[in-house]
Amino acid sequence: MSVPVYTRIRQLVAYALRHKLIGEEDRIYITNSLLSALKLSEYTEEGSTEEAPLEEILSALCDYAVEQGLIETDSVVFRDLFDTSLMGIVTPRPGEVIRSFTALYALSPKAATDYFYKLCQASDYIRTYRVEKDVKWTYSGEYGELDITINLSKPEKDPRAIAAAKLLPQSGYPSCLLCPENEGYAGNAARPARQTLRLIPMTLSGKKWYLQYSPYVYYNEHCIVLSAEHTPMKIDRGTFVRLLDFVAQLPHYFLGSNADLPIVGGSILSHDHMQGGHYTFAMAKAPIETEIKFSCYDDIEAGIVKWPLSVIRLRSGNRQNLIDLSEKILNAWRTYSDPDAFIFANTDGEPHNTVTPIARMRDGKYELDLVLRNNITTEEHPLGVYHPHADVHNIKKENIGLIEVMGLAVLPARLKEEMAVMKDFILADRDFADDERTAKHKAWFERFRDRYDFTPENTEQILRTEIGRTFQRVLEDAGVYKRTEGGHLAFLRFIATIR
């Protein structure tokens, strides 16, 4: 027998009370608000008071809404729109969240972010039950432990939602998915609902920015820091100032920025933003393998990092000098060409050189990693010379942005099923060409098949290992200076130009 809708409402109110989203004095008001959203005019307290998981409560309320015609189409997109509207009712208002964060920050920065992150989980802005479905493992290779993730938490739109989105009138509000105007936005078939989104204002480089969390949390406390203004991504001196301002305010977090050019940049270049969090990536653990000295900057420790991409690490307690030197390196790289190393600052007036910068605090000092990037394309590599090459596109074809640069592979959801099918084919000694899900992996598999004796117990782990090894190769493809003697000398030639 199904649980009555009134019981589900009571369970949701009880959940909100338990997680301190609302207070006891809010119970009646919130109950009536939920009744209104569900178009109910009656209510009873009778029935079971047993607790239930949030996913179950929301799923049941969405089922009721479908039956009553309150949800346009029974698909994940429209169900998400509806249940987010319900959770928006029980989520504290922005001013209350900001006041709580500010009060806790006075105790400690970590207490403030702990509160904010737990709130975003409790409000279902971060759908923890979906994030837990992501497939994750690590690969121990030449550069330390790389993180591998098959992303399953970001729902894919079904054809009905795609068709509905095409029928919507064009709208310029909010201007993009990162604009602060998304806070409280109801969403539609083309845009996600954001009634549970909350933003914390910050001052960085003298301007207003906002802190929020990513709903897909690829790593612990994955946050996004976005400009209050809808301005394009641009890496310049101001970027370094903002990065160091942020880690000074939240020293337990790192913060980095995607590059500001296509191919080597992020998926959204139209709105200036950065990403950070409470996590230590393999790149942060990688040691300096070649020390560098920059004249007039004796108080800065510097060196080339042992990493597949080309990284200059700077560390100092003197933030002004750190910003000055970072700007010098950026400006030198923007205009630097070395045909012998296939480095071209521009072709036909199109710029190619930029950096992916990452900041953190380490042992009381500021630390900046500057990852040299170049987005040049050729006929042989139309998606980018310093981009995953065609022979590994079966695993990773997408841009190598900030998160991948630091050592975390965000792989497409299709790989979960494809790995299962590959395992079956390997154990049955079937030809990968027999199925479109495995055909793309045939040449890749044949490169390592003779190195292993496959069994039902070890095949999945072998596939995970080889996917990790392939991601390591992907990162090497993205490095502008290869990890060879010639590549190292070319790297030093560039460093010698920094004056």
Side-chain angles (χ1 to χ4, degrees), residues 383-396:
L383 297 182
V385 173
Y386 306 108
H387 177 87
H389 290 178
D391 64 324
V392 293
H393 283 179
N394 61 308
I395 302 299
K396 181 69 175 177

Side-chain angles (χ1 to χ4, degrees), residues 154-411:
K154 190 173 184 178
E156 296 183 10
K157 290 186 177 180
D158 67 20
R160 292 170 295 180
I162 294 170
K166 288 180 179 178
L167 297 175
L168 291 172
Q170 291 297 312
S171 172
Y173 180 85
S175 297
C176 76
L177 291 172
L178 290 177
C179 283
E181 289 78 14
N182 282 282
E183 188 175 36
Y185 185 65
N188 53 46
R191 296 254 186 141
R194 288 291 182 256
Q195 290 102 324
T196 53
L197 169 64
R198 295 295 178 265
L199 303 171
I200 301 295
M202 302 186 76
T203 301
L204 303 177
S205 188
K207 293 189 176 181
K208 192 170 189 176
W209 285 62
Y210 290 99
L211 169 70
Q212 70 171 73
Y213 287 106
S214 165
Y216 309 117
V217 285
Y218 294 137
Y219 50 86
N220 187 47
E221 296 177 46
H222 177 184
C223 69
I224 300 171
V225 181
L226 53 99
S227 171
E229 301 174 5
H230 183 69
T231 54
M233 295 281 294
K234 185 180 180 183
I235 304 295
D236 58 14
R237 180 185 181 87
T239 306
F240 305 130
V241 175
R242 288 189 290 273
L243 289 170
L244 297 187
D245 277 355
F246 179 89
V247 297
Q249 293 176 46
L250 298 176
H252 57 300
Y253 274 18
F254 78 89
L255 190 69
S257 174
N258 266 304
D260 54 357
L261 293 177
I263 297 176
V264 295
S267 57
I268 299 179
L269 295 177
S270 61
H271 194 118
D272 205 358
H273 68 285
M274 301 172 283
Q275 296 181 78
H278 195 190
Y279 191 71
T280 304
F281 288 90
M283 191 179 82
K285 299 175 186 176
I288 286 175
E289 60 180 357
T290 303
E291 292 189 1
I292 306 168
K293 291 293 183 183
F294 292 100
S295 59
C296 302
Y297 294 98
D298 293 337
D299 58 353
I300 296 180
E301 305 167 56
I304 296 173
V305 179
K306 183 182 178 181
W307 193 245
L309 285 94
S310 307
V311 185
I312 298 173
R313 179 168 293 163
L314 309 174
R315 185 185 304 130
S316 178
N318 186 330
R319 61 174 282 155
Q320 192 61 48
N321 278 357
L322 203 58
I323 291 165
D324 290 344
L325 180 55
S326 297
E327 185 183 27
K328 278 192 175 185
I329 294 171
L330 171 65
N331 291 341
W333 179 244
R334 289 278 196 198
T335 60
Y336 183 77
S337 293
D338 183 351
D340 290 340
F342 207 78
I343 304 294
F344 297 93
N346 63 78
T347 55
D348 300 324
E350 180 187 350
H352 296 305
N353 289 352
T354 185
V355 302
T356 299
I358 301 107
R360 63 186 75 88
M361 297 297 297
R362 193 192 296 268
D363 299 328
K365 293 183 177 181
Y366 295 99
E367 186 170 276
L368 264 173
D369 284 348
L370 304 179
V371 187
L372 306 182
R373 311 299 302 275
N374 180 289
N375 75 346
I376 194 168
T377 61
T378 63
E379 287 188 9
E380 182 184 1
H381 300 294
L383 297 182
V385 173
Y386 306 108
H387 177 87
H389 290 178
D391 64 324
V392 293
H393 283 179
N394 61 308
I395 302 299
K396 181 69 175 177
K397 185 178 182 179
E398 300 77 18
N399 292 354
I400 302 304
L402 170 69
I403 293 172
E404 286 88 1
V405 161
M406 296 185 291
L408 190 157
V410 181
L411 302 179

Side-chain angles (χ1 to χ4, degrees), residues 5 9 33-40 61 64-65 70 82 86:
V5 65
I9 292 171
S33 297
L34 292 169
L35 289 171
S36 177
L38 290 157
K39 307 299 182 188
L40 290 165
L61 290 172
Y64 173 83
L70 303 178
F82 188 79
L86 298 181

Side-chain angles (χ1 to χ4, degrees), residues 84-158:
T84 302
S85 72
L86 298 181
M87 290 305 297
I89 292 170
V90 303
T91 300
R93 296 299 174 259
E96 183 182 341
V97 174
I98 292 167
R99 287 189 292 273
S100 296
F101 184 95
T102 303
L104 287 165
Y105 185 86
L107 300 176
S108 81
K110 187 175 183 302
T113 56
D114 283 352
Y115 154 76
F116 189 36
Y117 189 63
K118 288 175 183 174
L119 171 79
C120 292
Q121 290 176 312
S123 70
D124 210 37
Y125 174 72
I126 297 172
R127 295 177 184 260
T128 307
Y129 45 86
R130 286 187 183 167
V131 174
E132 289 171 349
K133 295 176 183 176
D134 287 350
V135 180
K136 298 181 179 183
W137 70 92
T138 58
Y139 169 74
S140 296
E142 182 179 348
Y143 310 103
E145 280 208 343
L146 302 179
D147 294 301
I148 314 295
T149 298
I150 297 177
N151 175 37
L152 303 173
S153 57
K154 190 173 184 178
E156 296 183 10
K157 290 186 177 180
D158 67 20

